[in-house]
Amino acid sequence: MHFDYTMAAGSFLVAIVVGLTGMGGGALMTPMLVTFFGVPPLTAVSSDLVAAAVMKPVGSAVHLRRGTVNLKLVGWLCAGSVPAAFCGVLIARALGNGADVQSVIKKALGVALLIAASGLAVRGYLALKDRAAGRAEGVRRTASPGEPAATELPAIAVRPLPTVVIGGVGGLVVGMTSVGSGSLIIVALLALYPALKANQLVGTDLVQAVPLVTSAAFGHLMFGDFKLEVTAALLVGSIPGVYLGSRISSRAPGGLIRRALAFVLLASALKMFDLNNTATVVVLLGVLLASPLVWIVLRKRHGLPALPFQEDRAAPRGPAVQAGTDRGTTWEDEGAAGQDAAPTA
């Protein structure tokens, strides 16, 4: 079996980002295989899912031990995601063989990447609203900087039907593209259950992703285009990379990392759609220039200073409000800091 050391090095770098942010494994690893190593899209999806099936239980065990998992939510999500993930593999295989199916999978991957990038933007916006509410009311859903992440699960009313639908849609996307277990489903959970704390969202999503990814990986082993040498290279690079990233996640500017990740996801999506280099650069430059302006407008609309570093100067020093002020740490950062050594994909 030929072992690709360059591919292992690439997976190591991607896995560091995964450990830092708690997401992006499939959204970054699969495009890397397709774009930089010329791996056929279906082979990249199959091999990445099998590697993820090996890695995810490690992070899940960490969250289960810390009590940051809502097992009832996990059960309802799996009721939709597990069969849907296997069906996603069958749909990909039913499209046929050769160049046609590879092209369809590549386009589907591009769509999934766009959704993932949009999901990151939504998470950032909701974090901004959380900061604004904390400044106005003196409370916040997230841990203040320097405080431990919340571990006590809030009492929430589980909504079975929409939860199963979220699992089903997410599982179908994962089965076809390997993207979604850590980027799409967690955003949908945030919208449906806003009372869940950040690390509890991450923990619940990570545990439900174990049977989801296992189902998709099993389907790809049977009907996909799994390559052992690709999976081996991914595992050799990913395991130390995701451990290193998760260890330093509490010290990294998570909000900035997520903005960079969204930009990379957008660039990867454009490449999946076979845009030429000129068009890709124009789109990325437009997004790069417009995003800060849009963000400033949103901050002002929610009563926050235009620039983050102005918050400390503008915030009152009362104990209740001071506990809710932000120094660059969002609820997303709490999710990363609360999953010490928790590999995700």
Side-chain angles (χ1 to χ4, degrees), residues 66-104:
R66 292 182 173 179
T68 57
V69 180
N70 189 309
L71 292 176
K72 186 177 291 187
L73 268 182
V74 169
W76 284 111
L77 284 168
C78 291
S81 65
V82 172
F86 195 83
C87 290
V89 182
L90 297 180
I91 291 173
R93 174 51 62 190
L95 295 173
N97 295 306
D100 290 338
V101 67
Q102 301 292 352
S103 176
V104 171

Side-chain angles (χ1 to χ4, degrees), residues 24-38:
L28 292 176
M29 203 74 78
T30 304
M32 178 196 74
L33 294 175
V34 175
T35 304
F36 295 104
F37 296 98

